[in-house]
Amino acid sequence: MKDDFSLYNNGQLPARRKGWDDVELLDQAQAMGGALKALKDELHRHPELSFQERRTTALLQEKLTQLGLELVDLGMETGVVALLRGGKPGSTVALRADIDAIAQQEAAHDGALSCVDGVMHGCGHDFHTAGLYGAASLLCQRRDTLPGSVVFLFQPAEEVTQGAQAMLDHGLLEKLPEKPRYLFGLHNRPELPAGTIAVMEGPVMAGKSHFTITLHGKSGHGGSPHKCTDVIVAGAAVVNALQTVVSRDTDPLDSLVCSVLSIHAGTPDNFVPDLLTMTGSIRFHQESAHQRARQRLKELTLGVAAAYGCTAEVAFHPGVPATVNGPELTLLARKAAVGLVGQDKVVSPRPDMGSEDFAVFGQQIPAFFYWLGSGVPGAENPCWHNEHFRTDDSALPLAAALLARSALLGLEAISLQNNS
């Protein structure tokens, strides 16, 4: 049956079930603000890198079990899947947060600090995790009247964009009682002040793929360059040529980034090397632009290398698709956001060129991804992956309420569809 969200336009919602009111939901979330902050601080003090989130996993398993949720075993060392079965019959929706940290030394400040040298929650995944736990708590309070089930995905390894696929590969959708009809997630956004919610239709974050370029030349003495084929000179020409992938081979209205991110060649000072490798990434919102960029990158590399007397190999490595919000779920998400914070605090900023493997789930389940304001109003708010990155944790209750509200509206929408 085709999804029909027309009832969610212009506030034409059916009568609310008891306990589903926006104000009541946000009030309950605010009441648990101290507990959410304590959980977030605990996670922040003990950050763990991708696929190493064992302490985080154990803590979440304990706390979710205390809520009375069922744990779904995927056979993975890290990450948690928990299931809430509602008291009324219905379908299933899912909510997701990421749990890993980054390899970054945190700068000193007056809040909770990382206790792990060289590792910090520099992207706010501790914030996301605490928010999703709060949503689970709010929904557990509504268990008896819940028309269906909610799955809570605490995903590992987002920073290496491999955790979502790993959960799918370990049978996530097969091990659930029912495949979720909708999926919701959010990411903090330091450029937006706390209390605001970004609801965007279309691309939200970029897809990405990686490439490796290998150049082969002819080694020799540094004093006899005419007897050699210098891969460093050829490599520099390749880097320059690749700048035209965006400036001359891509529609100016398409967002694309093509970056060389590492170059490795040479050892002693008096040798001309015969081998150079470079790696990089392509980020995109439109798959057509991505495919065109791949084609031109390979053509330019092979052509330039040949012009300098070198041979070249180009290898592409899959990454993740773009995170794209469809129009139907955008209507539902906007209703959830406006109900909680009002129309004036719901914004639609430009998409970002960072990538999120939330999009991998979105290839299997209709999905919506929010940005939630986490910046301190009027202050300088460092960006993600910065040693000074922090979140305004007064937004934690809103994160919990927004995710819970999305799940409730999702279940309600499905119920309306099934009864129409």
Side-chain angles (χ1 to χ4, degrees):
M1 179 183 296
K2 185 180 185 294
D3 289 349
D4 180 6
F5 288 85
S6 60
L7 289 173
Y8 288 84
N9 284 309
N10 303 317
Q12 297 175 19
L13 281 168
R16 288 275 170 259
R17 299 171 191 263
K18 183 178 180 181
W20 287 30
D21 180 76
D22 295 308
V23 175
E24 180 183 2
L25 190 71
L26 191 53
D27 284 347
Q28 291 175 339
Q30 294 286 2
M32 67 174 69
L36 297 181
K37 178 70 164 73
L39 173 58
K40 190 259 185 182
D41 286 350
E42 174 69 12
L43 296 169
H44 193 89
R45 293 188 182 97
H46 302 279
E48 296 171 297
L49 296 175
S50 300
F51 290 126
Q52 300 177 29
E53 312 96 331
R54 296 177 182 85
R55 186 183 190 278
T56 302
T57 294
L59 176 62
L60 290 171
Q61 287 174 333
E62 177 184 359
K63 295 184 72 66
L64 294 168
T65 300
Q66 290 172 354
L67 289 179
L69 299 180
E70 301 174 35
L71 300 183
V72 179
D73 184 10
L74 299 187
M76 296 176 63
E77 290 189 17
T78 62
V80 182
V81 179
L83 174 65
L84 170 62
R85 297 181 189 266
K88 305 289 185 180
S91 294
T92 301
V93 299
L95 304 174
R96 174 267 196 182
D98 37 18
I99 66 175
D100 54 332
I102 64 171
Q104 173 85 296
Q105 185 66 44
E106 185 171 20
H109 57 81
D110 58 1
L113 282 168
S114 171
C115 298
V116 183
D117 189 45
V119 182
M120 70 173 287
H121 270 293
C123 204
H125 294 188
D126 49 348
F127 180 99
H128 307 159
T129 299
L132 182 54
Y133 171 78
S137 182
L138 290 169
L139 291 170
C140 281
Q141 297 176 46
R142 291 155 173 78
R143 186 193 310 260
D144 291 344
T145 57
L146 202 63
S149 300
V150 182
V151 177
F152 304 93
L153 305 177
F154 293 87
Q155 181 209 305
E158 187 282 327
E159 291 294 350
V160 294
T161 59
Q162 296 176 21
Q165 189 61 55
M167 297 183 90
L168 291 172
D169 290 344
H170 279 78
L172 170 65
L173 299 182
E174 294 75 24
K175 292 181 179 180
L176 294 174
E178 177 188 64
K179 179 180 177 179
R181 292 277 297 275
Y182 306 135
L183 170 67
F184 298 91
L186 60 77
H187 201 294
N188 75 89
R189 187 75 182 180
E191 294 90 341
L192 300 176
T196 57
I197 302 171
V199 176
M200 304 157 63
E201 181 181 336
V204 180
M205 302 190 76
K208 71 171 180 177
S209 64
H210 303 274
F211 61 84
T212 301
I213 294 172
T214 306
L215 300 182
H216 300 276
K218 182 179 178 181
S219 63
H221 195 283
S224 302
H226 59 294
K227 299 179 181 179
C228 313
T229 303
D230 192 340
V231 290
I232 291 181
V233 175
V238 168
V239 172
N240 283 331
L242 293 186
Q243 305 313 303
T244 65
V245 170
V246 174
S247 68
R248 289 297 177 268
D249 294 314
T250 301
D251 186 328
L253 299 181
D254 286 338
S255 300
L256 189 87
V257 177
C258 181
S259 301
V260 175
L261 302 173
S262 75
I263 300 177
H264 306 274
T267 43
D269 292 341
N270 60 339
F271 275 75
V272 172
D274 62 356
L275 179 66
L276 179 147
T277 60
M278 63 179 75
T279 63
S281 66
I282 303 172
R283 295 178 184 266
F284 56 91
H285 287 153
Q286 303 294 334
E287 182 59 31
S288 58
H290 174 222
Q291 293 302 321
R292 172 66 173 166
R294 283 171 53 118
Q295 175 187 344
R296 289 299 293 143
L297 184 147
K298 185 171 184 178
E299 291 171 349
L300 286 165
T301 298
L302 297 179
V304 171
Y308 281 80
C310 295
T311 60
E313 301 160 4
V314 180
F316 293 103
H317 315 289
V320 294
T323 301
V324 180
N325 291 333
E328 293 85 4
L329 281 183
T330 299
L331 291 173
L332 191 152
R334 187 173 299 280
K335 187 66 186 179
V338 171
L340 290 171
V341 299
Q343 184 63 59
D344 60 328
K345 292 186 177 180
V346 177
V347 298
S348 296
R350 292 186 298 176
D352 188 78
M353 294 307 291
S355 300
E356 244 285 355
D357 71 346
F358 179 85
V360 174
F361 289 130
Q363 299 290 295
Q364 305 293 327
I365 307 167
F368 187 89
F369 201 61
Y370 296 97
W371 282 341
L372 186 72
S374 62
V376 178
E380 180 181 355
N381 292 285
C383 64
W384 305 318
H385 293 217
N386 182 285
E387 63 179 357
H388 297 284
F389 172 84
R390 297 179 69 182
T391 54
D392 183 343
D393 293 337
S394 68
L396 277 170
L398 181 56
L402 180 61
L403 290 171
R405 191 79 182 102
S406 299
L408 292 171
L409 286 178
L411 290 174
E412 189 172 65
I414 296 167
S415 178
L416 288 171
Q417 295 160 26
N418 291 341
N419 294 328
S420 63

